[in-house]
Amino acid sequence: MLLRAGIIRHTQASGTFHIQHQSLDQTSKFICTMVSHAICFRKIQRRWLSNLSFFSKRRNCSGAEQGSTPSPAEAGKLAYSHRLKRDVKNCNTIGMDTILSHAGLHSPSSNTIGSLNEPLSPPIHLESTYTRPPSGDYFKEEDGGRGWIYSRIGNPTRKLLEETITHLELAGSGERKEDHCLAVTCAFSSGMAAVSSIVLALPQNLHIILPDDIYHGVPTQLKAMFVQRGVTYSATNMTNIQDIEKEIKSSKVNNVLVWMETPSNPGCKVVDIDAVCKLVSICRNDNTNITTAVDSTWAPPNLTQPLLLGADVVMHSGTKYFGGHSDVLLGCTTTSPFTLVGKELGDSIRTIQTTLGSTASPFDCWLTLRGLRTLHLRVERQCQTAMKIATFLSSHKFVEKVHYPGLVSHPQHEIASRQMNGGYGGMLSFEMKDEAMAMAVAGAVSTIKRATSLGGTETLIEHRASIEPLDGRVSPDGLLRVSVGLENANDLTRDLEIAIDIANEIVGC
């Protein structure tokens, strides 16, 4: 109105207002001045609100405006906060190689991508006991208790290894966090301690069905320790489903353990885990309790995951591929979170582990965690070299037989191709015409070392029959077992070629 009356004048360029009539009295001038100020304030207010609306649309999760660039420290914190919300620990999005590479960095059950300022090598907890909170309750957090009482019962380094192995056995299954809680992994002082824990965890009057080709230590242990306590066992061809079914149905007791070893030691037979577990499901009834166990020492989790194929429990001699450097003595079992038998078996094995005191040492657990970080790389190389050696031996005129699942001629090659992912393993065996010829070959090697055990960085050869009990031999007299290491494949085939030539010169055809 004042503008229309010509009392005040608006300057468009500067956005200001001026009093037009100088003849106005003081009161009128005051009123005009206040009105012009009000108009200017209103215009400024509209601009401010417009700018506020613009910046509010660009606010980040912390409430800080992004109109101005955050400091480097703020940018890092904000990015970390955003990444935590992405839940990158989802097992479906992380490959086995990555899980292995990060073994021991932090607990696999953690909901974060790792704590801040964490060590990149886990500490070794060598303590045997822990202080008790004033309340007397080790498990009350308000008293500072973390649940640690005595190292035989629980140890942080051992727990970290057990959680890591659980993660490996279940990786890729789409498992949820509760699956990790239901699966129980126990680390033992040796592979044989792990074997005995499974037997002890099952009811008395137990019958065990073993493969006819198996690590001789298992039947030796059963005969020496368990037969006198009412355990019986028999051996059958585990590659024949009909033979397994016959053994189950002919059992005279109600508690049966079907023990699979695949690939087998030393004949490299491959058992169809899925088919056997399905057969067991059919044979189970109210009067027959059947447990399925798999010794998967020769096929670590990056090659085979028996729990995903239906097994109730899987065991490994961690001394071998898990440790991988011939400096660990350790065994482990992991029970299934998917089967009823597996869920019930886990607590029983844990009780045996802690009450008998056959726990793995903290240092061996730490060494095994270190070994797991390179497991995928070592096994990949060992599989490749094993195939080259098997191919070389299969065409040698003085070699009678070669046992390796990767060869198309292997009887269970198709099953191995389906069941083993990423390779056929780093173990093979071959047969010479007799024991003398085999011993001569083993005596003539140079790069390859004569030793028992397997899974290390060095290639080993062993005449198996001569180390097995006379009344419990499972290996043919002329069989040699080879654990392939990380050497150059050509060096190994050349070493074997020279050794076979020398053996032929000494023993003759």
Side-chain angles (χ1 to χ4, degrees), residues 443-504:
V445 294
S446 176
T447 302
I448 300 171
K449 305 304 177 184
R450 291 175 298 276
T452 194
S453 197
L454 56 102
T457 61
E458 60 286 317
T459 298
L460 306 179
I461 193 168
E462 184 175 39
H463 180 254
R464 291 298 295 172
S466 59
I467 200 175
E468 296 170 352
L470 292 175
D471 59 347
R473 281 192 172 187
V474 296
S475 303
D477 290 341
L479 183 139
L480 290 166
R481 190 187 72 180
V482 178
S483 169
V484 178
L486 302 182
E487 301 94 338
N488 181 281
N490 293 332
D491 291 339
L492 297 175
T493 54
R494 187 183 307 112
D495 193 30
L496 285 169
E497 184 175 22
I498 295 172
I500 294 173
D501 286 345
I502 292 174
N504 185 54

Side-chain angles (χ1 to χ4, degrees), residues 140-214:
K140 282 191 176 180
E141 292 184 2
E142 60 266 28
D143 289 331
R146 296 172 297 174
W148 306 116
I149 302 174
Y150 189 67
S151 193
R152 172 173 54 81
I153 300 171
N155 174 275
T157 307
R158 189 169 73 241
K159 180 182 179 183
L160 184 58
L161 173 63
E162 291 172 343
E163 288 182 342
T164 301
I165 294 173
T166 298
H167 197 41
L168 294 172
E169 296 291 359
L170 301 181
S173 66
E175 81 278 12
R176 302 160 298 175
K177 187 176 180 180
E178 43 269 43
D179 292 331
H180 282 279
C181 297
L182 294 173
V184 177
T185 294
C186 296
F188 293 89
S189 55
S190 70
M192 291 309 298
V195 172
S196 63
S197 74
I198 296 174
V199 178
L200 289 170
L202 296 173
Q204 293 182 342
N205 298 321
L206 175 69
H207 180 71
I208 304 175
I209 302 174
L210 299 175
D212 55 4
D213 185 64
I214 186 175

Side-chain angles (χ1 to χ4, degrees), residues 10-213:
H10 176 236
T11 303
Q12 184 71 32
S14 63
T16 59
F17 294 84
H18 305 277
I19 299 174
Q20 184 69 18
H21 296 285
Q22 301 297 326
S23 60
L24 294 175
D25 56 28
Q26 293 298 320
T27 301
S28 298
K29 287 182 178 181
F30 176 78
I31 294 173
C32 290
T33 299
M34 294 303 294
V35 169
S36 66
H37 286 175
I39 294 172
C40 288
F41 175 79
R42 180 61 178 167
K43 191 175 183 78
I44 293 171
Q45 186 184 45
R46 282 197 298 267
R47 287 181 178 177
W48 183 81
L49 290 172
S50 176
N51 290 338
L52 181 64
S53 175
F54 171 76
F55 284 115
S56 66
K57 295 178 180 179
R58 302 182 59 191
R59 287 182 181 272
N60 56 38
C61 61
S62 67
E65 294 182 1
Q66 290 188 353
S68 60
T69 304
S71 68
E74 290 172 342
K77 291 179 180 179
L78 292 173
Y80 180 79
S81 177
H82 273 285
R83 192 56 188 262
L84 290 180
K85 293 184 177 181
R86 297 283 182 94
D87 192 23
V88 296
K89 290 300 292 181
N90 189 315
C91 296
N92 290 320
T93 62
I94 298 180
M96 178 71 75
D97 292 357
T98 302
I99 296 172
L100 287 166
S101 298
H102 292 182
L105 290 187
H106 48 78
S107 171
S109 60
S110 171
N111 289 323
T112 70
I113 58 175
S115 61
L116 301 177
N117 200 222
E118 64 182 2
L120 288 181
S121 179
I124 308 173
H125 289 267
L126 297 175
E127 66 275 6
S128 62
T129 191
Y130 304 83
T131 57
R132 190 171 183 179
S135 68
D137 191 340
Y138 283 96
F139 298 92
K140 282 191 176 180
E141 292 184 2
E142 60 266 28
D143 289 331
R146 296 172 297 174
W148 306 116
I149 302 174
Y150 189 67
S151 193
R152 172 173 54 81
I153 300 171
N155 174 275
T157 307
R158 189 169 73 241
K159 180 182 179 183
L160 184 58
L161 173 63
E162 291 172 343
E163 288 182 342
T164 301
I165 294 173
T166 298
H167 197 41
L168 294 172
E169 296 291 359
L170 301 181
S173 66
E175 81 278 12
R176 302 160 298 175
K177 187 176 180 180
E178 43 269 43
D179 292 331
H180 282 279
C181 297
L182 294 173
V184 177
T185 294
C186 296
F188 293 89
S189 55
S190 70
M192 291 309 298
V195 172
S196 63
S197 74
I198 296 174
V199 178
L200 289 170
L202 296 173
Q204 293 182 342
N205 298 321
L206 175 69
H207 180 71
I208 304 175
I209 302 174
L210 299 175
D212 55 4
D213 185 64

Side-chain angles (χ1 to χ4, degrees), residues 253-494:
V253 297
N254 296 332
N255 299 307
V256 177
L257 170 61
V258 178
W259 186 273
M260 292 169 267
E261 185 181 276
T262 182
S264 65
N265 180 2
C268 295
K269 291 184 177 181
V270 178
V271 179
D272 191 335
I273 301 172
D274 178 65
V276 173
C277 291
K278 287 179 178 176
L279 169 67
V280 167
S281 296
I282 296 172
C283 294
R284 280 187 178 124
N285 54 55
D286 295 337
N287 297 320
T288 306
N289 302 311
I290 310 175
T291 302
T292 54
V294 178
D295 181 345
S296 196
T297 298
W298 282 24
N302 55 322
L303 293 183
T304 305
Q305 295 169 289
L307 299 185
L308 305 191
L309 298 172
D312 297 316
V313 59
V314 58
M315 67 80 51
H316 293 267
S317 174
T319 304
K320 312 307 191 292
Y321 285 103
F322 280 13
H325 293 78
S326 302
D327 56 6
V328 168
L329 192 62
L330 185 141
C332 62
T333 62
T334 304
T335 55
S336 174
F338 311 117
T339 68
L340 181 60
V341 174
K343 293 175 183 178
E344 295 175 346
L345 195 59
D347 289 339
S348 298
I349 294 178
R350 175 72 76 195
T351 299
I352 291 166
Q353 177 203 36
T354 57
T355 55
L356 291 184
S358 55
T359 54
S361 74
F363 188 51
D364 280 333
C365 290
W366 184 87
L367 287 173
T368 304
L369 282 168
R370 184 200 62 177
L372 287 174
R373 290 195 184 190
T374 58
L375 176 65
H376 52 299
L377 297 175
R378 288 185 284 107
V379 169
E380 180 181 7
R381 174 66 175 269
Q382 288 160 329
C383 288
Q384 293 171 354
T385 304
M387 178 64 83
K388 293 179 181 179
I389 294 175
T391 302
F392 161 76
L393 291 172
S394 63
S395 62
H396 199 290
K397 61 181 179 179
F398 294 133
V399 175
E400 302 279 319
K401 294 179 182 178
V402 179
H403 307 286
Y404 185 64
L407 296 175
V408 178
S409 58
H410 189 279
Q412 294 89 44
H413 175 72
E414 184 179 346
I415 296 172
S417 299
R418 182 176 69 250
Q419 184 168 278
M420 303 177 73
N421 301 308
Y424 298 94
M427 297 296 300
L428 62 95
S429 60
F430 63 99
E431 296 182 40
M432 305 305 292
K433 69 170 186 175
D434 55 29
E435 185 170 355
M437 187 73 167
M439 290 293 284
V441 172
V445 294
S446 176
T447 302
I448 300 171
K449 305 304 177 184
R450 291 175 298 276
T452 194
S453 197
L454 56 102
T457 61
E458 60 286 317
T459 298
L460 306 179
I461 193 168
E462 184 175 39
H463 180 254
R464 291 298 295 172
S466 59
I467 200 175
E468 296 170 352
L470 292 175
D471 59 347
R473 281 192 172 187
V474 296
S475 303
D477 290 341
L479 183 139
L480 290 166
R481 190 187 72 180
V482 178
S483 169
V484 178
L486 302 182
E487 301 94 338
N488 181 281
N490 293 332
D491 291 339
L492 297 175
T493 54
R494 187 183 307 112

